[in-house]
Amino acid sequence: MDNVLHLIGLAKRAGQLESGDEPVGAVCRARACRVILVARDAADNTLRRVRHFAEAGQCLWLSIPYDKEQLGEAVGRRVCAVAAVTDVGFASAIVGKLAQADAETYGAAAEKLSAKAEKALQRRREQRAHERNVRRGGKAKKPYIPTRIKREQQSK
């Protein structure tokens, strides 16, 4: 399970994770959140707020098997009850690791996020191909055919 905390720490260092009630709420309202992670010993009021954030941001929320101190240590704080992952790749990796340890609890969420990650990767590929096409000048140019050959083709 240390791999999960390590991935959470990497996401924080990459700037793809917000921690705490207010930053998580802001990310959810902006619809930039992919998954909300809640410590197992979070208060009932925190869980209620997280449910509201998840509905507003149309994202998943999961109760993870770590307490506030362990989650806080991973994100560089003393304690942390709530964290929001904003990158679909990190979210998919974190929930995938959780699903490996407990497939019954996290399996469905891992499948959803894996599908979203594949779609996001496909969109990035299409965007890069489009940008390459624009740099090259749009559509491929038709090859030059001399007028004499055109007339011969039309007369046939």
Side-chain angles (χ1 to χ4, degrees):
M1 286 300 232
D2 291 338
N3 289 336
V4 176
L5 292 174
H6 180 69
L7 280 172
I8 291 171
L10 282 176
K12 179 65 176 178
R13 286 188 288 275
Q16 302 296 325
L17 184 129
E18 295 293 332
S19 57
D21 279 354
E22 291 304 317
V24 169
V27 167
C28 289
R29 285 189 294 276
R31 294 188 183 223
C33 180
R34 301 297 169 241
V35 66
I36 302 172
L37 306 173
V38 184
R40 70 170 180 239
D41 59 347
D44 291 336
N45 189 37
T46 302
L47 290 175
R48 183 183 57 80
R49 291 187 73 188
V50 165
R51 283 189 205 107
H52 177 71
F53 293 155
E55 287 175 13
Q58 296 179 348
C59 63
L60 296 172
W61 72 274
L62 300 171
S63 179
I64 59 174
Y66 300 107
D67 57 16
K68 291 187 277 190
E69 287 80 21
Q70 290 171 319
L71 183 59
E73 185 177 321
V75 299
R77 299 173 67 173
R78 193 172 58 80
V79 293
C80 177
V82 180
V85 182
T86 58
D87 180 66
V88 71
F90 273 119
S92 177
I94 290 168
V95 177
K97 291 285 184 186
L98 288 169
Q100 285 177 354
D102 187 3
E104 188 175 309
T105 306
Y106 302 107
E111 289 175 16
K112 268 186 183 179
L113 284 171
S114 177
K116 282 186 178 185
E118 286 297 320
K119 286 180 185 177
L121 182 61
Q122 181 63 29
R123 282 192 301 268
R124 275 189 236 129
R125 286 181 186 142
E126 290 171 358
Q127 181 65 29
R128 281 191 298 244
H130 173 71
E131 289 170 358
R132 256 193 324 268
N133 193 16
V134 168
R135 279 193 308 268
R136 289 181 183 160
K139 295 181 181 177
K141 295 180 181 178
K142 294 181 182 177
Y144 172 72
I145 300 174
T147 309
R148 178 179 52 90
I149 297 172
K150 285 184 188 176
R151 285 187 197 139
E152 289 173 5
Q153 290 176 350
Q154 289 175 352
S155 65
K156 289 182 181 179

